Amino acid sequence: MTLALTLVFLVSSCIGPVSDDTALGKRQSTPKSNDPANVGLYESRVLEDNPIILSGNYNLDHDYNLNLLLSSRGKFITNSSTLTADCSMGDEVVDSCFQVRKDSNAVSSIYYKNQKWAFPVGSDEFHQVLAYYHTYKIVNKFNSALYSAMQTAYGPDLISPQYTLSALPQDLISMHAFWPSERSLRIYAVSGELDNSVYQPADFSISYGEDRYYNTLKWVQDPTIIYHETAHALIHLMLNLRNNASAGISTRADLGHLYYDEAGSIGEGISDYFSYFINGRNHLGEWAVGRYLNLSRPIDEDDPIHALGIAKTPEGRLSYPNYLNYDPNNSSIKIEDVHNSGMIVSHYLIALTESLAEQCSLTTTTAQYAVVHIMAEALAELGDFTSQGNDSNIAENYYINHSPAHAPEWQRVANPINFRSFFQRMAKATYMIFNDYGQSVACNGSTYPKDKIETLLDQYGLLLFKTYNENGNDKDDGHDGTSTAVNVANRLHTTLVAKDFVKLDPTQNATPAFIFDKRSDMLGAVSDLRASGQITEVSPLIPDDLAYNNGNGKISPGEIVGVMLNLYNDSNSPIAGVQVIANKWDHVKSTAPCNNLGDNWPTIAEGGAAAGNSGTPGDCEYISRENGDEDEEDLGEACFVQLNEDNATKWVTQSEFVANSASISPEQCLGGANNTQSCLVRVIPNMDQAFYSKMDAKSTWTKTVFPNGQEQDIRTSHIIMMETSPWIAPGTTFNCRFRLRFSNCEDCYSDASYSGDDYLDYEYSGGKPFKIVHFQFIVIN
C-alpha cells in the first residue's frame, strides 16, 4: 500500500456549506450609506448577520452591494479612540483585553474620525469595525455567563461555596483569571489568509482571511466565523482559569496539539456552539465558507443539510463514533477533520441546552449560560496545572494531571483530553450543579436527574466512562471517597471495547508499520513543525538537509523518519480516538526491560527483568509515583536494542548497548556522550504520539478512513517521528515498546479492581492502562 505524507499542522480554523440553493425570502432594501453624517457619535452601521442570512439568498454573488444589507441605524461601537476594548467582570476591569488591527503588519489600531466609526462598506476600516463590533458582542456575553457561573458556584456574594468540587477558583475575578492582563487578544480583520481564518494560541491572535478567487468576500463579513474564532480564545481562557489564578503556574494548557486529535475536535465543537450562543441559529458559515467552498456546518440535527436518518431522536443523534468522519456536505466520503468530528460536540451541547431549558423551565439564554458554566467547570479542571482541580484540595492532594511538575506532560501526552475525559467532566459538573448538591435554584426548584444526564450522553454515544470520578486521581486518595457509578442500564448506544482487540494487522503480507523517509517530505515536515514550535530539538548529528534520508521506506542510519503502526481492530465494534505514544515510561529495571507488563516480552533468557516487589521502588512491579523523579526509579526510552555477547542474544537498553558494544562510542550518540539512553534511536521530543480518528470493526485505520481507493493523505498527527544515529551499524535490531489506548476503551481508563473507578494519574507512567504494541525493525544501510 502506498501512502503519501502530506504535512498539515494544527491551526484552529473554521472551514466549514451552503445548505441548498433555496432562497430564504429575499429582503429588498434601499442602499444605506455608512456616512458619518448618518450615524451618531461612536457609531457605525454594521452587518448584523452574514450576507446570506440578511439577503435571504443562498446564491448571493460575491460582489453584491453590501450597503443593501447594513443595519437600519448606527450601532454603538466604542467611545475609545481606537478599536481597543476593556473587559470587565463584577467590579474588576482588564484594560485592552482585545484590539483589532488590519493585519499583523499594522503597528496599531485605526482611530475614529470625528468620534465616529463610519467607513465605506468594503473598506479595510469597515471590516475592522465589523470585527470589533461582533467580537465585543461575544466577549461581553461570555463574561456575563462566566460571572453568572461564579454566582451559582459561590452565591450572589461570591463568598459562600455552594458545592465543594467547583473547579472555578473562588478568586477568579479578583485575580483577573477571567482575562489576564498580559493576554491581549490581537485580531487581524483583513489578514490576507486564503480560504481560512486562524486562531493561534501561541501568540493569542486571530486572523480573518478571504475567498481565494473573490477577494471582496472577506470572512470577517460573516459574524458566525467571528463568534467561532473568538470562542477558541475563550476556550483557552476557560481551560486556564485555575492556572491564571495561580501565581506559581507559568505554563498554559492548550486544547489540541496536533492536526487531528480529539482535544482539537472538542475545541471546534465548542466554538461552533458559541455561534449558536450568540445568534440562536443552528448553522455556521453560510457566507464565508458556504457560498463558494461548500463547507458550512450544521450545529444540530434539525438542519436540512444533514443526511437522511439524522434527527433529534434517540437513534438519530449525531453519535460517536459513527459520525466522526461524516461530512454533511458530501456524506458519501469520509473526512478525518477536527471540524467534522467536532459536530458531535456542538450537537450535544445544543441538545443539552434544550434539555435543561425543558426540564428546568429555563429561558434559552439562561440554559445557554448554564451550559457555559458546565463547560467552564469541565475545562478549568482538565487544564489545571496546579493539579488540585478545585479549591477544596490541600496542596499535597493532586486531583488531576499528576502533579505540578508533570502536569503539562500529562495534559499533552500521558493522559490528554479526549471525548471520554471531557464528557465525564461535563457529566460530573451537570450532576453537581443540578442534582447532587441540591442546587434547586439552578433548576427552578427541581433537579436535572442523573439518569437524564446519562441518557442524553448515551444517545450521542458519549457515555464512555464508568464513574463520575469525584474522588480524582491522586496517588494516595484517588480511590477514597465518592465515585458515583454510571447506571449501566443507561448505556444503550455507547459501545466500549477491550484494548486487547487492537493489534498489528494480522492479514497476510500486511506490513506492521509504514515508514516515511522521503527527504523532501521530511524536510517540509521538520521545517513546518519547527516553525509551529512543535519540534524544538533535533540531534546535531542529523544534517540540516537530511542528506541521509533515502526514501526507501526503511529505517537507515542518519535519517529522520515517520513511523505509523498498521493497527487492526479485531473486535465487532468500531473504536475511536486511538492514541499511540512513544514517550519515556516506567518499564526498565537497571539495564533490562521489565517482562511483567502483560506483553510477555522479553523472557528472562532474552534479557528480561523479573517482576520483583510492588512496594519497592526500582522493581518492575513498582510503578513510579513521581514519573521517575524518586530515588531508584528511572523512566526508560521506548526503544531497546538487541545485543549479541558470549554466544547469547538479549534485549538491553541503548545505554547498556553502548557500554558493551565496540560498534559505537558515546560521542557518536544522538544526544551526546552524556546521554546514551537514546544513543542510537531517539523519538523526537514532542513528536512522541500519533492519533487516529476511527477504526471500523475487523479493519485498519487506513481502510476505514480511505475506503475504495480514496486518496490517502498521511499527516504529521498520524506519525511518530524518530531520528537515527549515522553511526548505527547496519543490521542492528531494535524493538520499540509503544503504548496505545482509545476513547471508547473498556479497560484503558477504569480499574476493575476498584469497581471501575478511574486509574490514578501515576499509573499512566506504567503499562497497566495501555495495550503494549511492539514495533521491531532492523536498520538497513
Side-chain angles (χ1 to χ4, degrees):
M1 180 180 292
T2 300
L3 300 177
L5 173 64
T6 300
L7 173 77
V8 186
F9 61 87
L10 175 68
V11 290
S12 293
S13 61
C14 56
I15 299 183
V18 170
S19 293
D20 53 37
D21 292 331
T22 306
L24 299 175
K26 294 184 178 180
R27 184 179 71 181
Q28 300 297 326
S29 181
T30 303
K32 306 173 189 67
S33 171
N34 198 33
D35 190 281
N38 296 326
V39 300
L41 292 178
Y42 314 119
E43 290 184 347
S44 173
R45 285 191 165 124
V46 298
L47 298 174
E48 289 277 27
D49 209 320
N50 70 56
I52 292 286
I53 299 302
L54 292 173
S55 68
N57 180 13
Y58 277 118
N59 292 313
L60 197 68
D61 288 335
H62 63 91
D63 57 356
Y64 185 80
N65 182 3
L66 297 183
N67 284 288
L68 291 165
L69 305 177
L70 290 176
S71 55
S72 59
R73 57 182 180 82
K75 299 292 183 179
F76 179 79
I77 306 301
T78 176
N79 56 12
S80 171
S81 60
T82 64
L83 294 176
T84 303
D86 299 338
C87 295
S88 63
M89 187 173 293
D91 296 329
E92 296 294 323
V93 178
V94 175
D95 297 333
S96 303
C97 70
F98 73 84
Q99 184 183 95
V100 179
R101 302 178 185 178
K102 176 181 179 292
D103 54 34
S104 59
N105 296 317
V107 296
S108 65
S109 167
I110 59 173
Y111 287 79
Y112 56 34
K113 291 185 177 180
N114 299 320
Q115 296 181 299
K116 295 185 179 182
W117 290 104
F119 295 96
V121 172
S123 67
D124 290 341
E125 292 84 359
F126 172 77
H127 290 125
Q128 291 171 71
V129 171
L130 198 60
Y132 181 96
Y133 175 78
H134 288 289
T135 301
Y136 188 83
K137 182 183 290 188
I138 183 173
V139 167
N140 189 54
K141 186 172 180 180
F142 168 76
N143 283 343
S144 295
L146 192 56
Y147 185 68
S148 174
M150 287 295 293
Q151 290 183 310
T152 301
Y154 294 103
D157 56 3
L158 301 181
I159 61 174
S160 305
Q162 302 298 295
Y163 46 92
T164 58
L165 292 180
S166 176
L168 304 179
Q170 191 165 357
D171 55 1
L172 179 151
I173 296 174
S174 62
M175 290 291 290
H176 288 188
F178 65 95
W179 204 300
S181 56
E182 71 275 10
R183 296 264 77 182
S184 181
L185 181 65
R186 292 285 180 264
I187 299 165
Y188 305 123
V190 196
S191 71
E193 289 267 354
L194 298 179
D195 291 344
N196 204 7
S197 289
V198 180
Y199 166 68
Q200 292 285 12
D203 62 359
F204 207 49
S205 70
I206 298 171
S207 299
Y208 294 108
E210 62 189 37
D211 189 271
R212 181 179 302 271
Y213 301 107
Y214 307 112
N215 63 8
T216 57
L217 194 165
K218 310 294 185 184
W219 284 37
V220 78
Q221 295 164 359
D222 192 330
T224 66
I225 301 301
I226 298 175
Y227 304 147
H228 174 100
E229 295 299 341
T230 307
H232 279 300
L234 303 181
I235 292 167
H236 183 87
L237 293 171
M238 285 189 283
L239 194 66
N240 287 285
L241 289 175
R242 298 194 61 79
N243 303 326
N244 293 338
S246 174
I249 302 296
S250 58
T251 306
R252 294 295 177 264
D254 289 330
L255 195 59
H257 300 276
L258 303 169
Y259 177 82
Y260 182 90
D261 62 7
E262 289 197 341
S265 303
I266 291 164
E268 295 301 332
I270 295 174
S271 293
D272 283 0
Y273 174 81
F274 268 101
S275 179
Y276 160 82
F277 176 70
I278 299 299
N279 63 29
R281 294 198 293 104
N282 69 344
H283 205 93
L284 177 139
E286 294 93 343
W287 174 245
V289 294
R291 177 64 181 94
Y292 295 102
L293 296 176
N294 199 35
L295 289 170
S296 69
R297 290 192 294 279
I299 313 178
D300 78 358
E301 288 87 354
D302 279 345
D303 194 298
I305 194 176
H306 271 310
L308 188 66
I310 295 176
K312 290 185 176 181
T313 64
E315 294 75 25
R317 299 289 191 181
L318 204 73
S319 62
Y320 178 92
N322 299 326
Y323 289 98
L324 266 178
N325 299 323
Y326 159 71
D327 180 0
N329 298 284
N330 189 348
S331 59
S332 64
I333 65 172
K334 297 180 180 181
I335 300 293
E336 184 181 84
D337 180 84
V338 288
H339 304 88
N340 289 345
S341 52
M343 287 190 297
I344 295 173
V345 179
S346 63
H347 286 52
Y348 167 79
L349 293 174
I350 287 186
L352 179 61
T353 304
E354 294 172 345
S355 183
L356 286 170
E358 178 183 16
Q359 176 71 20
C360 300
S361 301
L362 306 177
T363 66
T364 297
T365 297
T366 303
Q368 290 173 341
Y369 275 36
V371 171
V372 170
H373 180 186
I374 293 165
M375 285 193 295
E377 292 276 6
L379 291 170
E381 180 181 311
L382 288 166
D384 185 10
F385 286 172
T386 74
S387 296
Q388 290 181 253
N390 55 73
D391 287 358
S392 299
N393 281 329
I394 60 174
E396 291 78 15
N397 289 352
Y398 294 134
Y399 184 86
I400 192 169
N401 290 331
H402 193 281
S403 61
H406 299 291
E409 180 181 3
W410 250 246
Q411 205 262 339
R412 184 186 69 83
V413 63
N415 195 18
I417 298 169
N418 61 12
F419 275 58
R420 180 198 182 273
S421 61
F422 177 71
F423 288 104
Q424 181 191 49
R425 265 57 174 204
M426 288 285 291
K428 186 181 75 171
T430 307
Y431 189 47
M432 285 193 304
I433 297 166
F434 287 93
N435 190 310
D436 189 35
Y437 293 94
Q439 293 295 302
S440 60
V441 64
C443 198
N444 281 327
S446 183
T447 60
Y448 190 79
K450 174 175 172 286
D451 282 343
K452 202 170 186 71
I453 296 170
E454 295 171 8
T455 297
L456 185 61
L457 281 166
D458 181 65
Q459 288 177 8
Y460 282 92
L462 297 171
L463 197 59
L464 300 165
F465 47 94
K466 296 183 178 180
T467 78
Y468 287 57
N469 197 40
E470 297 100 323
N471 50 8
N473 301 78
D474 182 68
K475 60 184 175 62
D476 298 316
D477 305 313
H479 290 313
D480 297 336
T482 303
S483 180
T484 302
V486 166
N487 183 352
V488 295
N490 291 329
R491 191 177 287 116
L492 301 175
H493 302 88
T494 304
T495 302
L496 302 181
V497 178
K499 62 191 175 191
D500 277 345
F501 279 107
V502 183
K503 57 187 69 176
L504 295 178
D505 189 351
T507 57
Q508 188 174 8
N509 299 323
T511 180
F514 302 104
I515 307 299
F516 304 94
D517 69 332
K518 185 178 178 182
R519 182 169 173 266
S520 59
D521 286 340
M522 300 313 296
L523 270 174
V526 171
S527 175
D528 285 348
L529 289 165
R530 280 184 186 273
S532 68
Q534 288 177 259
I535 285 184
T536 58
E537 179 186 347
V538 173
S539 170
L541 296 186
I542 305 297
D544 290 340
D545 62 355
L546 303 189
Y548 297 123
N549 274 67
N550 55 36
N552 66 355
K554 307 289 184 181
I555 297 178
S556 302
E559 289 189 317
I560 288 182
V561 301
V563 176
M564 187 179 82
L565 297 183
N566 186 19
L567 299 173
Y568 181 84
N569 172 16
D570 200 25
S571 79
N572 293 317
S573 300
I575 65 171
V578 181
Q579 181 202 20
V580 179
I581 60 176
N583 61 339
K584 294 181 181 181
W585 60 290
D586 190 2
H587 63 143
V588 176
K589 179 181 179 181
S590 185
T591 61
C594 293
N595 74 344
N596 66 315
L597 299 176
D599 54 345
N600 301 312
W601 183 90
T603 65
I604 300 295
E606 294 173 322
N613 192 319
S614 63
T616 304
D619 282 356
C620 283
E621 193 68 27
Y622 181 88
I623 303 172
S624 171
R625 269 55 170 175
E626 304 298 336
N627 201 35
D629 287 347
E630 64 264 60
D631 292 341
E632 306 297 329
E633 279 291 306
D634 290 305
L635 303 183
E637 296 284 348
C639 297
F640 298 90
V641 61
Q642 200 172 70
L643 177 66
N644 299 310
E645 68 175 8
D646 299 330
N647 298 317
T649 299
K650 61 181 181 179
W651 293 102
V652 297
T653 64
Q654 296 182 52
S655 295
E656 179 73 357
F657 184 89
V658 174
N660 290 277
S661 173
S663 66
I664 194 165
S665 67
E667 291 74 20
Q668 295 170 326
C669 289
L670 289 164
N674 295 323
N675 183 12
T676 60
Q677 192 180 43
S678 56
C679 176
L680 305 165
V681 170
R682 183 171 74 159
V683 176
I684 295 177
N686 290 335
M687 296 306 298
D688 51 4
Q689 61 179 317
F691 277 91
Y692 309 98
S693 58
K694 179 184 175 184
M695 294 166 60
D696 285 337
K698 306 296 181 182
S699 183
T700 65
W701 172 78
T702 53
K703 292 176 182 177
T704 299
V705 180
F706 307 114
N708 304 320
Q710 185 177 324
E711 183 179 352
Q712 301 177 29
D713 288 335
I714 306 304
R715 298 178 170 91
T716 51
S717 56
H718 300 133
I719 62 175
I720 289 167
M721 293 182 72
M722 301 169 64
E723 53 188 0
T724 60
S725 171
W727 302 101
I728 299 176
T732 306
T733 302
F734 292 84
N735 190 309
C736 298
R737 230 177 187 179
F738 293 163
R739 297 177 293 165
L740 72 79
R741 61 182 157 212
F742 47 96
S743 295
N744 63 328
C745 182
E746 172 78 29
D747 48 355
C748 298
Y749 305 94
S750 53
D751 191 338
S753 299
Y754 291 91
S755 303
D757 194 19
D758 280 18
Y759 281 118
L760 306 182
D761 273 329
Y762 80 87
E763 294 180 280
Y764 292 99
S765 294
K768 195 173 181 180
F770 301 91
K771 171 66 180 286
I772 299 172
V773 178
H774 291 262
F775 167 53
Q776 192 171 120
F777 62 94
I778 300 173
V779 173
I780 304 298
N781 194 354

